[in-house]
Amino acid sequence: MRELILVIEDEERILTFLRRGLIYEGYRVETASDGAAGLASARDNPPDLVILDWMLPGIDGLEVCRRLRAASSVPILMLTAKDAVSDRVQGLDAGADDYLVKPFALDEVLARLRALLRRAKPETPEVLTFADLRLDTGTHQAFRGERAIELTAKEYELLELFLQHPRQVLTREVIYDRVWGYDFGGESNIIEVYVRYLRQKTEAEGEERLLHTVRGVGYVLRETA
Ligand code: CA
């Protein structure tokens, strides 16, 4: 379920920044610090999306892009310090799907990534609903009534989990395991933080609360009693 992102970037600082941010959002991440290593990684462990730096030692990003594209249709997000129109055209000609000009914010990366992954996903969409809450698993769009709700990747996964188990109390352990994929040992407040985000978004216009706390246990999606 969790998508694998391959990041090919020689700048350690940016690589670390992206790896942390992506893992925090729940993606699986592979990294490579030059083109040859990136191509080998893509071949051995095919990613769902590639974030590719333009300026790489050895085989440059443009050439890596061409070779990736020759082998698969994996979405490619290029990172570049260049902002000239001709550079963008060159990259698109080489098969890149989208661009991000350095310096960029993590939110921008995540937004582009979601859009690219969404486009790449051919699976049969399913619409999960509870009360007036709707989640389209094809487009990853959420609605409260007619109101569209923007979700980050993690928020989406969390809401999807609740919608798959309406009126069922989900323990913190189950939520950690299903959404974050590892055991937090109950130390972290990450679930509380994300539940708060989801509440803010699903109750933004004063709608009735659907995501309830079950003290000492976890959370449940249900109508207000
Ligand atoms: Ca670079």
Side-chain angles (χ1 to χ4, degrees):
M1 162 75 216
R2 288 178 304 134
E3 289 104 339
L4 176 65
I5 313 296
L6 170 61
V7 185
I8 310 174
E9 164 66 89
D10 59 313
E11 239 175 291
E12 187 57 40
R13 194 177 49 83
I14 296 178
L15 198 61
T16 304
F17 166 75
L18 286 173
R19 182 172 44 216
R20 282 195 189 136
L22 293 172
I23 288 174
Y24 191 76
E25 276 291 317
Y27 295 105
R28 291 180 296 135
V29 178
E30 283 286 335
T31 60
S33 49
D34 64 58
L39 287 167
S41 175
R43 188 187 56 232
D44 297 341
N45 194 6
D48 295 297
L49 184 143
V50 179
I51 297 179
L52 173 63
D53 185 35
W54 185 303
M55 302 293 278
L56 289 171
I59 313 168
D60 75 5
L62 213 53
E63 182 57 26
V64 172
C65 186
R66 281 193 200 98
R67 294 192 196 177
L68 283 172
R69 186 51 75 236
S72 87
S73 61
V74 64
I76 301 171
L77 172 62
M78 280 200 92
L79 302 178
T80 175
K82 306 173 172 193
D83 196 17
V85 172
S86 64
D87 290 334
R88 289 174 182 242
V89 171
Q90 241 190 318
L92 291 173
D93 284 348
D97 296 282
D98 202 357
Y99 270 92
L100 216 47
V101 177
K102 293 179 182 177
F104 48 78
L106 185 62
D107 280 351
E108 287 181 86
V109 179
L110 295 173
R112 303 289 180 96
L113 209 101
R114 282 195 298 274
L116 289 175
L117 288 170
R118 205 149 54 210
R119 266 189 262 155
K121 206 167 266 180
E123 71 191 22
T124 330
E126 185 190 1
V127 178
L128 300 169
T129 62
F130 182 79
D132 60 349
L133 197 57
R134 272 183 300 138
L135 188 67
D136 186 324
T137 62
T139 61
H140 280 210
Q141 280 178 312
F143 294 89
R144 186 81 202 254
E146 293 303 303
R147 185 168 66 83
I149 301 170
E150 278 294 320
L151 297 176
T152 67
K154 267 293 143 216
E155 291 165 358
Y156 171 85
E157 276 190 63
L158 186 58
L159 186 57
E160 183 184 37
L161 178 65
F162 281 113
L163 282 164
Q164 284 164 343
H165 304 277
R167 299 192 189 90
Q168 188 181 327
V169 177
L170 300 176
T171 64
R172 294 162 53 87
E173 289 70 24
V174 163
I175 298 171
Y176 279 136
D177 184 56
R178 296 286 298 277
V179 178
W180 279 272
Y182 53 94
D183 181 13
F184 259 103
E187 302 293 337
S188 163
N189 68 342
I190 194 164
I191 295 181
E192 286 73 7
V193 170
Y194 272 86
V195 164
R196 189 158 70 236
Y197 291 158
L198 275 183
R199 281 177 178 158
Q200 281 165 359
K201 292 186 175 183
T202 57
E203 301 167 17
E205 298 195 344
E207 293 99 334
E208 176 198 309
R209 173 154 300 180
L210 294 175
L211 204 46
H212 297 270
T213 304
V214 181
R215 210 166 293 281
V217 183
Y219 297 90
V220 60
L221 184 71
R222 62 163 169 76
E223 297 87 349
T224 300

